[in-house]
Amino acid sequence: VIGGFGVANTMFMAVAERVREIGILRAIGARSIDVLILFLAEAALLGLIGSIVGVVVGVIVSSLLPSLLSGLVRFGPPGTEIQLQTVVTPTTILLALCLGLAVSLIAGLYPAVRASRLKPVEAMRYVF
């Protein structure tokens, strides 16, 4: 959810900062669908990079977590402590990547639609 808000905020700012460029694109013949695809691709790339970084950090933390917690937290009765074990499978990694990509596409959808609906004349006179 927080990643979705981050992507949405980034995409809103990208649209706001590039209104004139969007107007120029539209004026030289770019269709609405071209602008929509451009901004959705940017949102997807942003989400994919964030997901990859999140998976790498998650794998590192999950590999270090059992050794860090073994001295701090004891599970089970004294003398028969249970070892904490984390499991990272390719399925969970793929799920995390797909979820991050889906969240970024959903969060970037409204700003992309908004950018694709800009009229060239209105965008060209826009002063940020």
Side-chain angles (χ1 to χ4, degrees), residues 33-58:
I33 192 74
D34 297 330
V35 175
L36 180 73
I37 290 171
L38 178 73
F39 279 94
L40 282 179
E42 184 177 336
L45 183 64
L46 188 66
L48 191 61
I49 290 170
S51 297
I52 291 170
V53 169
V55 165
V56 169
V57 170

Side-chain angles (χ1 to χ4, degrees), residues 53-124:
V53 169
V55 165
V56 169
V57 170
V59 167
I60 291 170
V61 168
S62 69
S63 68
L64 296 176
L65 197 63
S67 62
L68 293 174
L69 290 181
S70 65
L72 298 174
V73 179
R74 303 262 185 231
F75 300 104
T80 60
E81 284 87 16
I82 301 168
Q83 289 290 341
L84 180 64
Q85 214 174 23
T86 58
V87 178
V88 178
T89 63
T91 305
T92 57
I93 291 173
L94 186 63
L95 179 66
L97 291 173
C98 289
L99 186 62
L101 187 61
V103 166
S104 66
L105 284 174
I106 290 168
L109 188 61
Y110 178 70
V113 168
R114 186 170 163 235
S116 70
R117 290 187 176 167
L118 281 174
K119 304 256 187 280
V121 175
E122 292 174 17
M124 295 295 284

